Each structure stands twice: as structure tokens, then as C-alpha cells.
Amino acid sequence: MKEVNNVVEITIAQTEAGGGQFYEFEPGMYDAIVADIEETDNPFEEDKTQLQFTFEVPGYENEDGTTANKRGWANPVWNSKSKLWGWAYAILGVEPAAGEPFRTSQLIGKPCRIVLNTGKKQDGTSVIKLTDVLGPLKTQPKKPGLVQRLKEE
């Protein structure tokens, strides 16, 4: 940074355009963890916001060694027909309590599964986008082994 004509100037070198350092997912279903939820401007509706979910995908890494992630968006609408309600229901595994407000902290750190599909951007280019959020896989309880059964007899 330097000052030119009483204005702070920042010089940024030109780089080659490319996919960047982020992991490029294939369409499919992935185990994930809700890493962050933040309120952002909605680019499709003036003066409205949306919730940006960041899902970390363990087992997949970006080029810099950080855990790969995928983002998804939901409108901040909290009722039984909203995407936010559906995602919360899937992640928590229980129907949200009637009359209770939604708190983002309820979902942070929770496991889930995300579904990624091929889509098109407005300019016609192809993109892999998050299309659904499901609850985590439920593990089947183990059947007692022979030793456990003998102890119970």
C-alpha cells in the first residue's frame, strides 16, 4: 500500500482466471456439517436478505488443505412450508415446536447430508449446486454379540 496524490493506493497483480483453490464436487450426496449460517443480501429481491448456510464436507479438501465446503441459501421465512423449516427438520430430526422462533445456533455443528446436482447459471454456464439438505444417516443399533447374550442368560 502506498499513498498517491493523498489517496491510499492498493496494487493487485493480475492473475490467471481459473477454478481457484476450491474443491470441485461432482453431483451426488455428501455427509456434511453445518459450519456457519449468516444473513446476506438477497441478490434476487431488492431490500431483502437470505440465510447463507456453509456446509463443511469432511474427507474432501481444498488445494490449501482446508476442509472443502458448499454453500446453500434459504429465505429467512420460518413456517412449515419454508425451505428453512424443511432443512431444520431434516438436520434436527424432529419437527420444530409450534410457536418457537428459529435460532441459527440450533443447527451449527450438526451433521447432515447435502445433495448436489448440475444446474445452470443465469449466463447459461454449468454449475454444481446444492439442491437439498437431508438428515444424517441413522446408524443401526448393533445386535448383541455372543458374549453379551451369554452374560444376559
Side-chain angles (χ1 to χ4, degrees), residues 16-128:
E16 226 177 283
Q21 65 175 352
F22 300 106
Y23 183 83
E24 293 188 28
F25 288 95
E26 294 292 325
M29 186 181 313
Y30 297 85
D31 290 327
I33 296 169
V34 181
D36 189 37
I37 304 170
E38 61 182 297
E39 192 170 24
T40 62
D41 290 334
N42 186 332
F44 305 106
E45 296 183 69
E46 196 172 319
D47 298 326
K48 298 242 177 166
T49 62
Q50 59 186 357
L51 296 178
Q52 177 180 281
F53 283 68
T54 301
F55 298 92
E56 286 187 346
V57 185
Y60 296 86
E61 290 186 351
N62 297 316
E63 288 179 14
D64 65 0
T66 59
T67 302
N69 64 63
K70 197 68 180 168
R71 292 183 298 191
W73 293 265
N75 287 326
V77 176
W78 187 237
N79 65 51
S80 63
K81 296 185 191 288
S82 70
K83 181 193 285 188
L84 179 59
W85 183 282
W87 286 6
Y89 188 6
I91 294 166
L92 297 172
V94 295
E95 183 84 23
E100 286 293 314
F102 173 71
R103 292 178 181 83
T104 57
S105 62
Q106 296 172 292
L107 301 182
I108 302 296
K110 299 285 187 206
C112 62
R113 291 174 293 158
I114 57 173
V115 178
L116 306 179
N117 285 303
T118 304
K120 295 273 185 202
K121 292 182 180 179
Q122 288 180 332
D123 65 5
T125 59
S126 185
V127 65
I128 302 298

Side-chain angles (χ1 to χ4, degrees), residues 114-151:
I114 57 173
V115 178
L116 306 179
N117 285 303
T118 304
K120 295 273 185 202
K121 292 182 180 179
Q122 288 180 332
D123 65 5
T125 59
S126 185
V127 65
I128 302 298
K129 64 181 192 172
L130 188 146
T131 56
D132 205 359
V133 175
L134 306 172
L137 276 178
K138 298 202 179 350
T139 56
Q140 297 294 325
K142 291 184 179 178
K143 294 180 181 176
L146 177 61
V147 174
Q148 182 63 34
R149 284 187 295 199
L150 291 173
K151 286 181 180 179

